[in-house]
């Protein structure tokens, strides 16, 4: 006698289970611990920054300081510029060659959350600019909501999904895009880069 794995259970059975009130699972560790483990699992090399708010989303950024550009900015006295209005002028054609160089490379953006909808709401906006991933409790992967609604979305946007079990071990459930993606230099990407640059320097000090 064989049993049907929970991940491919009969759709009607899954719907019946989804109709039952299921408490949202807790994360098995702190956001910082899980993010650090996720960066290793994904092969993202760089500084795993503390959680920060970017474009209204709580995320953890993995970034690499570009030594030559950072040294040039030190020589120019060009500190990180967090003011969005100021940075928005940097992409004007007449400013070409007159603005400081980009001093960090954003390797990827992580969203660690108890529910997949929260994680995707945070991670997806950054998938346009590079690698993005969500870290979720492992138990969510056995729900109909996750199978029917989360998986199609993460595959569409190229977001990776990592599942954390009770022992804080991470497994890759969905391998999204994980590559060096050329990022268009826009007012938004430059501003985000400056905020990350500021956080990298603050973390290193």
């Amino acid at each position: 006698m064989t049993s049907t794995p929970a991940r491919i259970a009969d759709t009607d059975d899954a719907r019946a289970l989804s109709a039952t009130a299921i408490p949202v699972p807790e994360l098995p560790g702190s956001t910082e611990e899980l993010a650090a483990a996720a960066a290793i699992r994904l092969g993202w090399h760089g500084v795993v920054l503390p959680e920060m708010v970017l474009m209204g989303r709580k995320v953890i950024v993995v970034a690499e300081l570009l030594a030559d550009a950072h040294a040039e900015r030190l020589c120019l006295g060009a500190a990180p510029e967090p003011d969005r209005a100021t940075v928005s002028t940097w992409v004007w054609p007449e400013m070409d060659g007159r603005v400081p160089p980009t001093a960090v490379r954003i390797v990827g953006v992580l969203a660690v959350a108890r529910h997949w909808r929260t994680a995707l709401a945070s991670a997806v906006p950054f998938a346009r600019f590079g690698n993005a991933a969500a870290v979720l409790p492992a138990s969510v992967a056995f729900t109909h909501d996750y199978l029917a609604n989360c998986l199609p979305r993460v595959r569409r946007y190229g977001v990776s999904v990592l599942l954390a079990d009770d022992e804080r071990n991470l497994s890759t459930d969905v391998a999204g895009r994980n590559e060096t993606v050329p990022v268009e230099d826009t007012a938004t990407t430059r501003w985000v880069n400056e905020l990350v640059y500021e956080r990298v320097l603050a973390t290193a000090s």
Side-chain angles (χ1 to χ4, degrees):
M1 180 176 178
T2 59
S3 60
T4 303
R7 293 297 300 281
I8 55 173
D10 181 83
T11 305
D12 291 335
D13 291 341
R15 287 203 182 97
L17 287 171
S18 67
T20 305
I22 301 174
V24 178
E26 295 292 335
L27 288 164
S30 71
T31 298
E32 290 74 19
E33 289 173 331
L34 295 174
I40 293 172
R41 178 83 184 184
L42 291 163
W44 292 359
H45 302 291
V47 180
V48 182
L49 299 173
E51 189 174 60
M52 61 191 298
V53 177
L54 285 177
M55 299 193 294
R57 271 80 171 180
K58 281 187 178 181
V59 293
I60 290 180
V61 177
V62 180
E64 177 187 10
L65 185 68
L66 302 177
D68 290 346
H70 175 54
E72 182 179 343
R73 290 186 65 147
L74 288 176
C75 292
L76 295 172
E81 179 52 75
D83 182 65
R84 188 168 190 169
T86 299
V87 176
S88 69
T89 67
W90 289 4
V91 296
W92 294 355
E94 59 266 35
M95 296 295 286
D96 187 34
R98 300 171 58 189
V99 300
T102 298
V104 295
R105 181 176 72 88
I106 297 176
V107 179
V109 176
L110 291 159
V112 181
R114 296 165 59 196
H115 196 287
W116 69 264
R117 292 182 188 275
T118 303
L120 257 62
S122 296
V124 165
F126 298 95
R128 294 179 299 159
F129 310 129
N131 301 316
V135 181
L136 304 168
S139 57
V140 306
F142 297 96
T143 64
H144 173 71
D145 184 37
Y146 175 84
L147 296 173
N149 298 310
C150 178
L151 293 184
R153 286 174 171 81
V154 297
R155 287 172 180 144
R156 182 185 314 145
Y157 295 112
V159 176
S160 298
V161 177
L162 287 80
L163 302 175
D165 65 18
D166 292 339
E167 274 29 285
R168 303 179 189 175
N169 298 313
L170 296 184
S171 61
T172 302
D173 196 47
V174 178
R177 184 178 61 238
N178 192 13
E179 57 192 20
T180 302
V181 181
V183 179
E184 183 183 358
D185 205 16
T186 68
T188 298
T189 58
R190 279 307 313 256
W191 175 62
V192 167
N193 196 278
E194 288 299 301
L195 295 178
V196 172
Y197 180 36
E198 182 179 52
R199 183 58 65 92
V200 167
L201 296 186
T203 301
S205 62

